[in-house]
Amino acid sequence: MIWSLRISGGKAVDNRSESSRVSSLSSFGQAANGDLYAVSLEGRLYKLSN
Amino acid sequence: MSPAASTSSSAQGGSSASPAASGRTFLDIRSRVESGYSEQGLLSVAFHPGYAKNRLFYVYYTNKTGDIEIDSFRSRSGRALASSRKQLLVVNHRANDNHDGGQLEFGPDGRLYAGTGDGGSGGDPPDNSQNLSRRLGKLLRLNGGRWQVYAYGLRNPWRFSFDRANGDLYIGDVGQNAWEEIDYRPRAATGLANFGWSAYEGLVPYRPSRLKQAGTLLKPVQVYGHAGGNCSVTAATSIGVTRCRRRVDVTSTATTARA
């Protein structure tokens, strides 16, 4: 499962579960342009897209 | 999410895919890496901010003796040069095979940061994390060739990141039995940070008498319980924290993930 939150005034707000799913997620990564990736221990690399 | 083909990723057994889209192996250090237990292995690869020119990158892994090791390498023509390896850190971790930490990141100050676990077992029996003289349960910073304790009181910060826009720090710290936590420290904060473990698990006292007073105690900005609510399906573990501001939809927030 992927959850998201953001920081406002030093506190976490908008904590919520996202619809994206990555099985056996082991890490996020970012490209130089800010694109967000996720990797799975099952061997796949994912890119988050709109 | 959809599967993608390129960027750099590391395989737990110790090889690493190419940062280019060629698909060929960029680095192979399987002979150096212990990955017999699920928390061990090649855990992180970080590229120097000047990598385009200096071809310098860093790896964090569990070495064959079970210790935490950080090495640097250089690459040439899209492949790592095995002969360029320099050992930058070894932390004794032979007592247990869990809580190896694993994240390497360059901070907004251009320095390299590493997250180490508390040494493993459960409940941090040797009280490593609150002990500032030990390099376990810490966020370490490489400064002028020396590792400093940048933050302490961590249990297994195997994924953390800096906000690419403002340099704020986010850490996903794996909980003991009840509480996973997200730690946050704005870039403007100064001095040593204590994230509480093993005096606290999340917001709850765990071994409160262990709490050290050095620096500032920072409680998590978000905790996730194992029982009930959102985490009842599986044992929850915080495994990553990152931020993405580029998009305006749901991804323009701090993103945490658990499995």
Side-chain angles (χ1 to χ4, degrees):
Chain A
M1 290 182 68
I2 294 177
W3 289 68
S4 71
L5 56 80
R6 63 184 179 88
I7 300 294
S8 176
K11 296 187 185 307
V13 298
D14 297 343
N15 178 48
R16 67 189 186 198
S17 173
E18 300 292 348
S19 58
S20 298
R21 294 283 186 277
V22 173
S23 181
S24 300
L25 175 60
S26 62
S27 190
F28 290 113
Q30 290 181 76
N33 67 2
D35 281 351
L36 182 65
Y37 292 82
V39 288
S40 165
L41 290 174
E42 295 168 3
R44 283 187 172 162
L45 175 61
Y46 294 84
K47 180 179 178 181
L48 195 58
S49 56
N50 286 323
Chain B
M1 290 207 171
S2 57
S6 69
T7 199
S8 170
S9 62
S10 56
Q12 205 168 7
S15 60
S16 174
S18 170
S22 62
R24 73 185 182 206
T25 298
F26 174 67
L27 169 72
D28 187 344
I29 53 170
R30 283 175 291 181
S31 63
R32 303 191 54 78
V33 173
E34 175 57 51
S35 59
Y37 177 70
S38 63
E39 294 178 18
Q40 298 178 319
L42 172 56
L43 298 169
S44 214
V45 180
F47 291 86
H48 190 281
Y51 177 78
K53 287 187 177 175
N54 64 24
R55 300 295 170 189
L56 191 57
F57 68 96
Y58 302 79
V59 295
Y60 183 125
Y61 61 96
T62 314
N63 70 21
K64 283 294 184 189
T65 57
D67 294 341
I68 292 167
E69 181 160 344
I70 297 173
D71 294 347
S72 70
F73 288 87
R74 290 182 187 274
S75 74
R76 184 185 298 156
S77 304
R79 283 179 193 252
L81 296 168
S83 62
S84 69
R85 186 178 72 87
K86 287 184 183 171
Q87 190 178 76
L88 301 183
L89 180 71
V90 175
V91 180
N92 188 312
H93 203 288
R94 289 164 218 182
N96 299 286
D97 52 13
N98 61 337
H99 300 185
D100 300 271
Q103 188 71 29
L104 272 182
E105 286 283 332
F106 277 91
D109 55 2
R111 296 196 170 105
L112 186 64
Y113 291 73
T116 62
D118 67 6
S121 183
D124 190 8
D127 193 10
N128 289 322
S129 190
Q130 289 289 315
N131 186 336
L132 284 163
S133 67
R134 297 179 189 161
R135 287 171 164 169
L136 294 165
K138 304 297 185 298
L139 187 61
L140 302 174
R141 177 171 71 171
L142 186 58
N143 190 3
R146 296 193 318 151
W147 292 95
Q148 323 171 299
V149 174
Y150 184 76
Y152 70 111
L154 294 161
R155 187 172 177 276
N156 192 23
W158 75 296
R159 294 294 177 242
F160 66 83
S161 72
F162 294 97
D163 186 310
R164 61 190 290 115
N166 61 23
D168 290 353
L169 169 66
Y170 292 80
I171 305 170
D173 199 10
V174 180
Q176 176 65 39
N177 295 317
W179 296 102
E180 308 297 313
E181 69 182 68
I182 305 299
D183 296 314
Y184 168 76
R185 188 173 191 259
R187 188 186 178 186
T190 57
L192 187 66
N194 181 0
F195 289 108
W197 175 252
S198 58
Y200 289 87
E201 182 189 8
L203 297 166
V204 178
Y206 184 81
R207 298 282 185 274
S209 64
R210 289 178 169 180
L211 186 69
K212 293 292 188 296
Q213 300 302 318
T216 305
L217 177 64
L218 296 178
K219 295 193 173 177
V221 292
Q222 184 69 49
V223 294
Y224 299 94
H226 286 195
N230 296 321
C231 306
S232 57
V233 177
T234 60
T237 302
S238 349
I239 61 170
V241 178
T242 189
R243 275 180 79 91
C244 178
R245 288 180 182 275
R246 191 159 167 268
R247 299 180 188 281
V248 294
D249 64 1
V250 296
T251 69
S252 62
T253 62
T255 303
T256 70
R258 299 171 294 156

